[in-house]
Amino acid sequence: MKRREIPGVKRKLAVLAVVAVIAFLGAKEFMELRNFKEPVVVSEAFTEKVMLSDYFEGIKGTGVDTPVYLFDSGVPGGTLVFLGGTHPYEPATMLAAYVAMENISVSKGRVFIIPHANLSASKVGMLGNAYPKFLHVQTEHGPRAYRIGDRSTDPLDQWPDPFTYVHYPSKQNLAYTDARNLNRTYPGRPDGNLTEQLAYAIMELIRKEKADLYCDTHEASLMYPVVSTYVAHDRALDVAMMAAMELSATTFPMKCEASPKSLRGLSHREVGDFSPVPEQGYEGVLAVLMETMEPFIDRVAGKITEELMMEGKDEFLQTASEHGLLYCVPEYDIEFGSPMKYRVGRHLSSIAELIRQMNDFFPEKEIQLQWPEFDGLMENGIGYYLHDPTKAHSTRVFWN
Ligand SMILES: [Zn+2]
C-alpha cells in the first residue's frame, strides 16, 4: 500500500532547509565580526593599559568594558582624555586613536586614549543596513583590517529597548534606540542600563584623574549641520573658538558651535556639567566633541561599499552639494571625496590645536605632545603610521 503523503510537507521541509542555511551563513558572519581583534603597536611613550572597569566596577565582565591606554610623561602638567569609537560606524575616530597611540610622544602631562569607547557597538553591524563588516588600511607589511561597527550598544549586551528612553537625570524623552547610544546617555548612573553605566564609568575616569581636556571624536553625514565642527561646552568655548579660527586660517576650514543647553545626554553638555568635584578642588574638564565628514553614513549616498568608506566619492552627494544641501566645509567635491586619511588627519590636528590653545589660555593645564597631524597624514597616508605587530616587542602589541 502506498504511504499517504501529508500535503505540502516537502515544500515545508525545503523552506526549513533554506532558512537553516541562511541562519547558518548569517551567524557565521555575525560571529566573525564579534570575534575579530584589531592590533595596535603602542609607541615608546606608552605607560600602561588599564580597563575602564578599574574606574567603575559595575561594568566589569560586560560587553562594554574597554581598554584605556595611558601615556604619562612623568612631568606634571595637564591631562587629556581622547575617545575614539563612541559611534563605531564613524571609524576615522578609532583610526585617529590608533595612529595617535602608535606614534605619540609626550614631554609634559598625561594622555588617556580609549580607541573603542563603545566596544560592544564595534562588534556588531548596523541592523537593517547592508554594509561591509571591515575596512582595510594598506601598510608596508600588508593590509590591516578594522571593524566597522554599529552606532549603538549590541542588543546582545543590552536588551530590551524601552518604548521611550527617559534620559537621566534630566527626564528628557529621547528615541527608544538612544537607550543604547553612548552619546545620549551621559552623565550615566551606576544603577542604570548598561550604556548608562558605560557613560558613568567614563565620567568616573574623568573625575578620578581630574582630566583637563576631554575630546570625543565623531563623524557626521554631510547633511548634518554640525559636520566639520567643534561642539564645545561653555567652559571650553574660548579654547575651541580660537582653535577653529587657527585651523581655518592655516590648515583646513573648521566650524565651532556652543553646546546647546536643551539637548540632553550628549557628551559636550553632560561631561562638562557633571565633571566638576568642587569638594576636591576639581573644576571639571573642558569638554569638546568634533565631527568630520563621512559620506558612508549619508542617507542619500549610493552603494554603501568599502571604497565609499575609504574614499568618500559619491555622485548623489555631489548633486546634493550642487543644490546647496550640504553643511560640510570645505564644500563637497567628488574629485576629492572625503578620504579616510583626510578625516583621520583632521581629527588629530583638531585635538592637537585644542591642546595648543588650552596651553595658552590655561598654562597650569599645559600638555606637550606630538603625533602625526593633518599635513603628514595627507602626504603619507594612514598605513605609513601603523607598525608591524609581528616585528614589535610583545609588550607593545595589544589586541582590541
Ligand atoms: Zn557620532
Side-chain angles (χ1 to χ4, degrees), residues 30-31 34 120 124 153-159 180 194:
F30 178 81
M31 292 313 289
R34 194 165 170 82
S120 164
V124 63
T153 306
D154 187 340
L156 283 182
D157 292 320
Q158 182 183 321
W159 188 258
R180 289 183 287 114
L194 194 61

Side-chain angles (χ1 to χ4, degrees), residues 322-350:
E322 284 156 16
H323 285 80
L325 296 170
L326 306 184
Y327 292 94
C328 54
V329 288
E331 235 168 77
Y332 184 76
D333 173 9
I334 193 168
E335 289 298 310
F336 180 71
S338 183
M340 187 62 86
K341 64 180 181 181
Y342 173 81
R343 288 140 59 191
V344 169
R346 276 189 75 116
H347 273 322
L348 290 172
S349 280
S350 296

Side-chain angles (χ1 to χ4, degrees), residues 21-36:
V21 168
I22 292 171
F24 175 77
L25 291 175
K28 194 167 157 278
E29 295 221 354
F30 178 81
M31 292 313 289
E32 188 189 358
L33 187 60
R34 194 165 170 82
N35 295 328
F36 185 85

Side-chain angles (χ1 to χ4, degrees), residues 52-111:
L52 188 59
S53 56
D54 292 337
Y55 294 92
F56 171 58
E57 257 218 314
I59 60 167
K60 196 168 188 172
T62 72
V64 297
D65 197 5
T66 190
V68 179
Y69 295 84
L70 170 62
F71 301 83
D72 186 349
S73 69
V75 178
T79 297
L80 166 70
V81 175
F82 168 3
L83 265 62
T86 290
H87 293 145
Y89 78 160
E90 298 159 12
T93 66
M94 161 271 293
L95 286 174
Y98 283 145
V99 169
M101 289 163 65
E102 297 214 8
N103 300 278
I104 188 172
S105 62
V106 193
S107 58
K108 187 168 188 184
R110 302 182 301 165
V111 177

